[in-house]
Amino acid sequence: MIEVKNEHELQLMRNAGKVTAAVLKKMTEAARPGVSTWDLDAIAEKTIRSFGAVPLFLGYGGFPGSICASVNEEVVHGIPKKDRILKSGDIISIDTGAKLDGFCSDAAITLGVGKVSDEAQRLMDVTKKSLYKAIGLVKPGIRLGDIGNAVETYAEQQGMGVVRDYCGHGIGRTMHEEPSIPNFGRKGTGPLLEAGMVLAIEPMITAGTWRVRQLSDGWTVVTRDGSLAAHFEHTVAVTAHGSEIFTAFE
């Protein structure tokens, strides 16, 4: 069952969304050659707590960071480390979230570090555009399968791989609520969206195969063929006339 939030609850989620948006904005400024993913995590945690919020990821299932920092072939759930130093040409996917006044927000961005390859830039552009194509469909009366279909259709038309093993989700009082939101699907299938539902939509796209594997640390997910991966996400509310992005910062 997909929970429908009332206006008061939606306002609390807007407030939480502003915190996560502020973190991602800080990340765009801080992700530079010579910076470690540990440094980025420290900046993120400090930013979240400055709003009186708590890091949503820290301690979740035992995860040790306030951000997931996934570099190059890492798709999601990369652990921040002191010895993982960013260099020019890397791309880094940063996923983060905050909980404020009992409600959550969750968002992700992939950033180029220094000068990146044309392939890397194209992958980031396609992944980001696939997210906005999905968000552009969100309104009451569409079906959940339409969202995944929009991501899958666009990314595959561009020759990219669409990760199947991980997906978006509903969000509210907890980070993961119903429904699961795959980045693939058939139009006209799945539950109908209603105003007041809040979704975390998050395409994970690769420059090669969609197949992934988890590393021995129990968290980090990488592409099986070593190809680059990108990840973009927003917390999005269904409104009476369309959608509202709670984690927008650009």
Side-chain angles (χ1 to χ4, degrees), residues 31 42 51 103 119 130 132-133 155 163 173-174 189 216 221 229 234:
F51 285 87
F103 283 86
E119 177 194 35
S130 73
Y132 283 97
K133 280 186 173 290
V163 173
R173 290 176 179 82
T174 60
T189 63
S216 59
V221 177
H234 274 309

Side-chain angles (χ1 to χ4, degrees), residues 179-197:
S180 294
I181 309 171
N183 292 306
F184 59 95
R186 290 189 297 117
K187 287 183 179 180
T189 63
L192 283 169
L193 299 190
E194 299 177 33
M197 293 177 175

Side-chain angles (χ1 to χ4, degrees), residues 228-250:
L228 295 174
H231 179 200
F232 282 83
E233 176 184 18
H234 274 309
T235 295
V236 182
V238 185
T239 69
H241 304 291
S243 65
E244 179 182 351
I245 301 173
F246 286 166
T247 47
F249 67 95
E250 297 173 310

Side-chain angles (χ1 to χ4, degrees), residues 20-22 24-26 28 107-109 111 132 234 245 247-250:
T20 296
L24 292 185
K25 188 172 189 300
K26 287 276 190 181
T28 66
I109 189 171
L111 301 166
Y132 283 97
H234 274 309
I245 301 173
T247 47
F249 67 95
E250 297 173 310

Side-chain angles (χ1 to χ4, degrees), residues 43-206:
I43 293 168
E45 181 174 359
K46 182 178 179 180
T47 302
I48 291 167
R49 295 195 187 278
S50 74
F51 285 87
V54 295
L56 191 57
F57 292 8
L58 186 60
Y60 184 86
F63 189 76
S66 296
I67 63 171
C68 295
S70 307
V71 181
N72 295 333
E73 77 281 1
E74 297 170 354
V75 183
V76 285
H77 305 161
I79 298 172
K81 296 176 181 176
K82 290 180 180 178
D83 61 356
R84 190 63 188 265
I85 309 298
L86 298 179
K87 63 184 185 301
S88 184
D90 285 340
I91 63 173
I92 179 170
S93 297
I94 299 172
D95 190 2
T96 191
K99 191 168 191 176
L100 179 66
D101 297 328
F103 283 86
C104 304
S105 61
D106 184 7
I109 189 171
T110 302
L111 301 166
V113 180
K115 182 174 176 56
V116 301
S117 68
D118 290 345
E119 177 194 35
Q121 187 61 57
R122 183 168 179 271
L123 172 65
M124 291 188 290
D125 291 345
V126 168
T127 308
K128 184 176 183 179
K129 190 166 183 178
S130 73
L131 170 61
Y132 283 97
K133 280 186 173 290
I135 293 173
L137 293 178
V138 172
K139 63 180 180 180
I142 75 156
R143 292 195 176 272
L144 196 64
D146 299 339
I147 293 173
N149 179 265
V151 173
E152 178 186 24
T153 300
Y154 178 70
E156 291 188 348
Q157 283 175 346
Q158 304 304 311
M160 304 293 183
V162 179
V163 173
R164 260 70 171 165
D165 299 62
Y166 298 87
C167 62
H169 48 90
I171 186 169
R173 290 176 179 82
T174 60
M175 176 161 51
H176 294 121
E177 296 184 352
E178 291 296 328
S180 294
I181 309 171
N183 292 306
F184 59 95
R186 290 189 297 117
K187 287 183 179 180
T189 63
L192 283 169
L193 299 190
E194 299 177 33
M197 293 177 175
V198 186
L199 312 173
I201 304 171
E202 50 179 322
M204 287 156 270
I205 307 298
T206 74

